[in-house]
Structure formats: structure tokens, C-alpha cells
Amino acid sequence: MKIGLISLGCPKNLVDSEVMLGLAERAGHEITGDAADADVLVVNTCAFIDSAKQESINTILEMAQHKTGGRARRLVVTGCLAERYREELREQIPEIDAVLGTGEVDAIVGAIDGSPSAPATVGLFRRNADGEAEKLSARHRDADAPLPTYLYDAATPRRLTTPGHYAYVKIAEGCDYNCAFCIIPKLRGAYRSREEASVVAEARALAARGVKELLLVSQDTTFYGIDRDRQDRGALGRLLRALDAIEGLEWIRLLYLYPTTITADTIEAMAACEKVVRYVDLPLQHASAAMLKRMRRPGTRKSYEALLANLRHALPGVTLRTTFVVGFPGETEADVDELVDFVKTIEFDHVGVFTYSHEEGTAAAAMVDDVPAAVKRKRQRRVMQVQQRIVARRQKARIGQRVRAVVDGPSSEHELVLQGRLSGQAPEVDPVVFFTDCDPSEYPPGTFVDAEVVDAAGYDLIVRPVEALTS
């Protein structure tokens, strides 16, 4: 059968999607990128915040149309939304044939072929008279239901959906924290690290396939290995050193670090390893002490500033990326003032700001969601406007610099314009570079280029190739 899969949400979810595709392919199924051509459609969903849930629901409804009026014979829903709202999905969208949670990735072949999925009692939405999704007062996931425990390994088949020169590698799954706004621990289970040998074996196999950039992901990448031995804080450093020795790799990037689990050994490994890019993705969520406490986040603005100063000292030229949440219950204008001052003081390279989403099943659900939506959006714009001014000034200062960039391929805006990234830019989430004064046919995806920055266009940079380094 022909299988079509739509993956929503974060790169961690994308790895699950790639594993499901790999398992389906190993079972003899054919993969198609055209939903209209698929016999079975799979939607791997996200449920982190309201907007993600809505996107997931809309995508499921869209794919259901291929079953009622097209070729598709089965519709399978997987991932975080499925983990959280199994039975309601089946009840409200009868076109769904199977529902698999985050711990049932390896059951995808049975779901494709017609095996039943496990039930759960939950609630989320209904269809209105126009057939559109309409939110209900949802009951959160049954607290007595077993948490997911699945974790893929190097022997698990994967079909990469990223460009061939980079791939995400999930080094751990789950989370042991209890941030007040986050439902992930209930959806993904307890933190569990993969064995170093498994990660290294997968990385070697990816490099042999032509992958040049590895992006290491988990819910907290710097917690890697600590779940197995609380006294051993050197597991991530050892892993980085082992990956650094793999022939064929050019860049190794760490995503989703945590402010209290970044050890001196990890920083030393990042500094010592030639292929580990000096890029720190550190979601801090806020800077106000009052808000951090209410959010159940560790640390203070003072401790964050000390950590960031240490990173800049130990990793000269490091790119700092963070995200913040505004509009959390109880947030005041004074709290936002402190956050804005923090952003001005640190001058992060990349900042993302999210408006708080009141999620059932989280600790914050017991609080009053007392910041109006319009105020949340206003605060989001305020922080981002400050960041935009910082970026504009810093981008202008980069003109004339020599940089190393990787070619990702044609721009989505114009096929004759090449698009790529610097070591300080992660795929999908960060700005990009556009190449000028070059023949695109001479720079295939995966080519590393020595270039000069000639201009800035908002968050993005314009670069002129000087020399192609590798391809």
C-alpha cells in the first residue's frame, strides 16, 4: 500500500515520523508525498499549545476528506494529540481508523494494516454545523494511564524527510521536570536516555548516507545520561567527543538545553570538539524572579546572566538562542519590564516569544488565566520589537565578515536563489542566508561554502561565495 504521512510539531516529533515511515517501508509499504495518492494517511500530531492542537485537528479533518471522497482507505492519527485525546478523536471524527500515542510508534505497521488501538477516556472538540473543529471543555489524560516508555535505537529503521545533508537524532525521550505550563511529561513519559553506543552507531550510519550535520534533540539534551546515573554528569561530554570523531560529519548541533543541567564538562566538550558548533539553544521562558517561581522554572535572572557570560567566555563567538513565554497567570507589566531589560542586556542572537496557552492537565491550569489575550499579544510584540532592533544593529555590523555556510537548496521564494545557513543558524527555527553572485548549479545542497557577508535583509543575511569547501 502507499502510505502518506504528515508530521506536525517539533523535530522530536519529526524523528518519530521518520521512524514510522521506516517501519512501514520495511514492512513492504510504499511511501508517497502526495496525500491524494495514498491508500493510508497518517497524521503525526502536536498538542503542546492551543494553536498546535488546532493545526493538528484541522490537518486531521483535511486528511479525512481524502478518505470520504478520495483514494485513501484508512486514516491513522498518532503523536501527542493522540496520546492526550484518544477516544474523543475516534468519537468525533469517525473517519479515523486507528489512534496511536507517543509510546506506540512501533505499532504503526499494525495500525496501517488494521490492528485496533488502545482506548482512553478524554475530551477535546466536536464538529459544528459547518463541519469545523469546535473546542470543548477537555478532560486531561487519565492520570492512572501508564506513561509512554518507547525509545528507538540504532537498529530501528528511519526514512529521512529532511534534506539529505542534515538529520535530527533523538538522544533521549521524556522529561522529569514539572514546569507549570507544560504537559510534555504526561505525554512523553519519564526521561530516558539512549545508550551512547546506540547514538554513535546511528550517527555513523547517517554519515555513511551523506549526512553532514547532526542535530541532537530531546526534551532536555543536557540531562542526557543523568537518568541512568545521577552521580555521572559527564555522559553528554563523552557522547560529543565520540561523535566528533566520526568521519564525514561537518557540524554537530545541540538543541533544547536546560539552564541547570549544563555542566562544565559539557561546555569543555563543546569548546574542544571541532565539529560541535558554538550554538546554544537555551529556552529560559522568563527573567522575572516572580514569574520563574510561578512557572516552576529553576534559576534567577542573576544565575542566567552568570551562565550566559560563562558560555560567551568559554565559547568565543557562540550564538545564543532562547525562547520566552509572556502572559503567564499573574504576570505584571513590571515583570515584562524586567524581561525586556534582560533581553536588552544580554543581546541574544535569536529570540522566540510565545503567548501563554492555558492547558488542562498542567499545574498552571489551577491558576486563573488572568492576562487577556490582547495583552499577551501586546507583550509579545513589545519584546520582539526590542529584539528586532538588536538584530538589525548586529546584522549590519556583520557586513564584510567572512563566514562559513552550508547550502540547503533553492529558496522557497525563488528557485534560482540559493538558501543556506551559518553555524549559528538551525534549520526551520532561525534566520537564513541567501547566496548572491553565484551559479546555483555549482552549489548542490550540502555544500559548505566560504563566503563574505555583503548585506542584511531583516533577520537574514546576503552572502557572496568565495570558495566551496566541501560537498
Side-chain angles (χ1 to χ4, degrees):
M1 289 189 289
K2 290 186 177 181
I3 312 301
L5 186 148
I6 298 90
S7 188
L8 304 173
C10 67
K12 299 180 288 292
N13 217 35
L14 180 64
V15 173
D16 291 344
S17 296
E18 293 176 340
V19 167
M20 286 189 282
L21 288 174
L23 291 167
E25 202 167 37
R26 187 175 67 179
H29 297 295
E30 181 182 346
I31 309 303
T32 177
D34 183 1
D37 191 42
D39 299 303
V40 179
L41 287 165
V42 181
V43 182
N44 193 18
T45 61
C46 179
F48 184 55
I49 56 178
D50 271 345
S51 60
K53 288 188 289 187
Q54 191 64 53
E55 181 186 20
S56 294
I57 294 165
N58 291 341
T59 303
I60 294 168
L61 294 176
E62 181 183 349
M63 293 304 105
Q65 294 175 7
H66 290 282
K67 185 181 176 187
T68 57
R71 170 174 173 161
R73 289 180 285 167
R74 288 183 65 78
L75 176 59
V76 180
V77 177
T78 66
C80 290
L81 194 77
E83 180 70 32
R84 197 171 183 186
Y85 304 110
R86 291 174 186 265
E87 197 61 28
E88 189 71 3
L89 286 167
R90 293 292 297 270
E91 291 174 359
Q92 299 299 331
I93 306 183
E95 295 90 343
I96 295 175
D97 296 287
V99 180
L100 300 179
T102 60
E104 299 166 294
V105 172
D106 56 346
I108 186 61
V109 174
I112 288 171
D113 293 338
S115 300
S117 60
T121 302
V122 285
L124 175 61
F125 68 95
R126 62 186 171 212
R127 278 174 165 163
N128 60 24
D130 297 322
E132 298 171 338
E134 185 176 89
K135 188 175 179 181
L136 291 174
S137 297
R139 302 185 301 278
H140 62 77
R141 184 184 187 278
D142 187 346
D144 296 326
L147 292 173
T149 59
Y150 177 77
L151 186 63
Y152 85 107
D153 59 30
T156 309
R158 278 179 69 185
R159 180 188 174 96
L160 296 184
T161 58
T162 52
H165 58 283
Y166 71 81
Y168 296 96
V169 174
K170 192 188 293 190
I171 65 172
E173 179 61 279
C175 184
D176 287 351
Y177 294 109
N178 190 30
C179 300
F181 52 80
C182 186
I183 194 67
I184 293 300
K186 293 184 179 180
L187 300 183
R188 291 282 176 175
Y191 195 95
R192 50 204 186 273
S193 301
R194 291 174 60 188
E195 295 289 341
E196 178 184 313
S198 174
V199 178
V200 173
E202 183 183 16
R204 287 200 183 105
L206 289 170
R209 293 167 60 176
V211 170
K212 294 181 173 61
E213 178 181 2
L214 292 185
L215 298 103
L216 308 185
V217 297
S218 72
Q219 299 300 329
D220 171 10
T221 300
T222 41
F223 197 75
Y224 175 79
I226 298 175
D227 58 305
R228 294 197 299 267
D229 185 349
R230 297 280 171 169
Q231 305 304 314
D232 180 11
R233 296 296 177 115
L236 181 58
R238 290 193 299 273
L239 175 63
L240 292 179
R241 292 177 175 92
L243 295 175
D244 195 59
I246 296 177
E247 185 176 351
L249 295 180
E250 296 283 343
W251 285 351
I252 300 168
R253 186 184 308 276
L254 285 75
L255 299 178
Y256 311 112
L257 311 185
Y258 203 77
T260 54
T261 53
I262 299 179
T263 64
D265 182 74
T266 296
I267 297 173
E268 289 172 6
M270 292 181 70
C273 292
E274 179 183 354
K275 298 172 184 177
V276 177
V277 297
R278 296 188 173 188
Y279 176 96
V280 174
D281 172 32
L282 187 68
L284 294 175
Q285 313 305 359
H286 219 287
S288 160
M291 295 314 301
L292 290 169
K293 184 176 181 180
R294 288 175 67 83
M295 289 178 170
R296 298 186 180 179
R297 294 285 297 181
T300 62
R301 174 178 175 176
K302 183 177 180 181
S303 66
Y304 290 173
E305 289 180 344
L307 171 61
L308 295 167
N310 182 33
L311 288 168
R312 280 179 164 154
H313 174 74
L315 305 169
V318 65
T319 295
L320 297 178
R321 184 180 199 279
T322 195
T323 53
F324 299 114
V325 175
V326 294
F328 188 82
E331 185 185 62
T332 66
E333 290 299 331
D335 294 320
V336 181
D337 290 343
E338 182 158 9
L339 177 58
V340 167
D341 186 66
F342 179 63
V343 171
K344 290 179 179 178
T345 299
I346 299 300
E347 294 197 350
F348 293 94
D349 298 276
H350 309 304
V351 169
V353 182
F354 297 90
T355 55
Y356 169 72
S357 177
H358 209 51
E359 297 296 320
E360 71 275 5
T362 65
M367 304 177 185
V368 177
D369 189 9
D370 57 355
V371 181
V375 175
K376 292 176 183 177
R377 292 192 295 270
K378 181 179 179 181
R379 291 174 179 178
Q380 179 189 43
R381 289 193 298 270
R382 181 185 172 195
V383 178
M384 286 309 302
Q385 285 169 357
V386 170
Q387 177 64 14
Q388 287 168 0
R389 290 192 290 270
I390 293 170
V391 169
R393 173 170 49 79
R394 297 184 67 171
Q395 295 289 75
K396 186 177 180 180
R398 299 196 71 168
I399 295 175
Q401 289 183 357
R402 286 289 187 95
V403 293
R404 189 182 191 219
V406 63
V407 176
D408 284 334
S411 165
S412 59
E413 298 178 3
H414 200 298
E415 63 180 10
L416 296 180
V417 176
L418 284 179
Q419 178 178 308
R421 294 173 291 111
L422 308 181
S423 62
Q425 296 170 326
E428 304 296 333
V429 296
D430 290 333
V432 299
V433 297
F434 296 105
F435 295 86
T436 188
D437 297 335
C438 67
D439 181 352
S441 65
E442 297 181 1
Y443 298 91
T447 302
F448 282 77
V449 180
D450 188 11
E452 178 185 1
V453 179
V454 296
D455 202 358
Y459 284 105
D460 303 318
L461 292 170
I462 313 297
V463 301
R464 177 179 59 82
V466 175
E467 181 184 358
L469 302 176
T470 58
S471 62

